[in-house]
Amino acid sequence: MDTIKAVAAEVKSSRYMVAFTGAGISAESGIPTYRGEGGLWNKYDPNRYANISNFLQDPSYYWNFFRDVRYPSLKKVRPNEAHLVLAGLEEVANLKTVITQNIDGLHQDAGSSSVVELHGTTRIIYCMNCSKKYSMDEVFSLLEVKNPPLCSGCGGKLRPAVVFFGESLNPQVLNKAYEETEKCDFLLAVGSSLVVYPAADIPLRAKQRGARLAIVNKDRTPLDYLADYVVNDEAGKVLPLIFENLKNR
Ligand code: NAD
């Protein structure tokens, strides 16, 4: 409890706070993480459905996964308490930006106004030939007729606006994330295993620039040694406690 109080004090005194989030923050909304207990990678080989060369060779595997797993789970998800607290911290504290590895759009649904999506979003699907955009619902309908789905305008192949394995991150998005990281005086990392580049780089850069760092994650991370505060527990439990302590101060 002392750590929660201390983190709340940091939130309160921060003049430019940034949150960095990973799959763990959406786990309590019902979206499985990739790694760890119940992780998607235990069931689905990421090399087959999340790798760009395999997607270009045979997109039908990814679209099967989209139709059977991704779409049904994303259709019904709602932001949880942890997403809502981060949105609330824009109002009651100086949280300026959420940098996320997630592709589920739940921070925006919760009301966060400045979200940097490092790995893109599954909510937008576009034609690789003419760039025409589609919603997930539209592509789900197209998939009922044909897999892989093709652009209704030009017949081109469709893809989600996410970064596949084997692809580089969008440099403008990455720069924005680094700019925000370098401006912050307090970084709160939530629900990330902090093992994937540039995830690990964000807390490192923040610390190098003199920011304070708190890590909230169910399991330990390789960057815990660097943090001023570590809470190994569920985000949906810890973030509301931080918020409560903020109000009581
Ligand atoms: P990860 O799957 O590697 O790690 C998730 C971490 O969250 C784990 O360390 C686990 O201990 C922790 N965790 C699980 N449940 C938690 C909870 N309730 N509260 C707090 N922590 C919890 O995820 P990652 O580090 O974010 O990186 C993997 C990549 O997977 C990301 O780049 C992301 O693009 C992608 N991904 C996104 C989603 C999504 O959009 N919701 C879901 C799965 C994977």
Side-chain angles (χ1 to χ4, degrees), residues 45-240:
D45 177 0
N47 241 339
R48 286 194 70 191
Y49 78 82
N51 178 298
I52 187 64
S53 16
N54 287 341
F55 177 78
L56 293 176
Q57 223 170 35
D58 181 7
S60 65
Y61 189 88
Y62 172 83
W63 291 118
N64 277 332
F65 170 76
F66 174 86
R67 185 190 55 215
D68 300 339
V69 181
R70 248 318 168 227
Y71 180 80
S73 69
L74 286 179
K75 252 329 260 177
K76 58 178 194 309
V77 288
R78 297 282 173 270
N80 63 51
E81 287 292 306
H83 296 105
L84 294 170
V85 164
L86 291 185
L89 289 182
E90 277 186 16
E91 306 292 324
V92 302
N94 287 318
L95 178 64
K96 302 294 185 191
T97 295
V98 177
I99 302 169
T100 188
Q101 293 177 272
N102 295 344
I103 52 177
D104 55 33
L106 287 180
H107 287 301
Q108 290 91 333
D109 285 353
S112 287
S113 62
S114 170
V115 183
V116 179
E117 295 175 305
L118 283 175
H119 295 161
T121 175
T122 34
R123 293 199 179 185
I124 298 171
I125 292 153
Y126 65 93
C127 171
M128 293 168 75
N129 185 45
C130 73
S131 305
K132 182 174 178 196
K133 284 192 178 129
Y134 292 83
S135 68
M136 293 200 303
D137 288 340
E138 286 169 323
V139 173
F140 186 73
S141 302
L142 290 175
L143 268 168
E144 288 185 318
V145 184
K146 193 173 167 57
N147 184 3
L150 298 176
C151 176
S152 55
C154 75
K157 281 185 184 162
L158 303 186
R159 65 162 292 170
V162 298
V163 179
F164 280 107
F165 286 103
E167 289 189 300
S168 304
L169 270 61
N170 178 322
Q172 280 165 349
V173 174
L174 190 56
N175 275 342
K176 171 78 179 158
Y178 284 152
E179 270 171 33
E180 289 301 298
T181 303
E182 284 163 18
K183 275 194 237 167
C184 81
D185 58 11
F186 177 54
L187 186 100
L188 176 65
V190 187
S192 173
S193 53
L194 299 177
V195 292
V196 187
Y197 173 88
D201 216 24
I202 302 278
L204 270 172
R205 278 183 185 236
K207 277 304 276 182
Q208 276 162 2
R209 302 289 290 222
R212 312 275 288 165
L213 170 66
I215 297 178
V216 176
N217 198 54
K218 207 159 96 176
D219 299 305
R220 295 189 59 77
T221 81
L223 294 188
D224 287 357
Y225 77 95
L226 203 68
D228 300 286
Y229 312 95
V230 176
V231 186
N232 289 131
D233 209 335
E234 293 182 339
K237 187 168 133 194
V238 177
L239 267 60

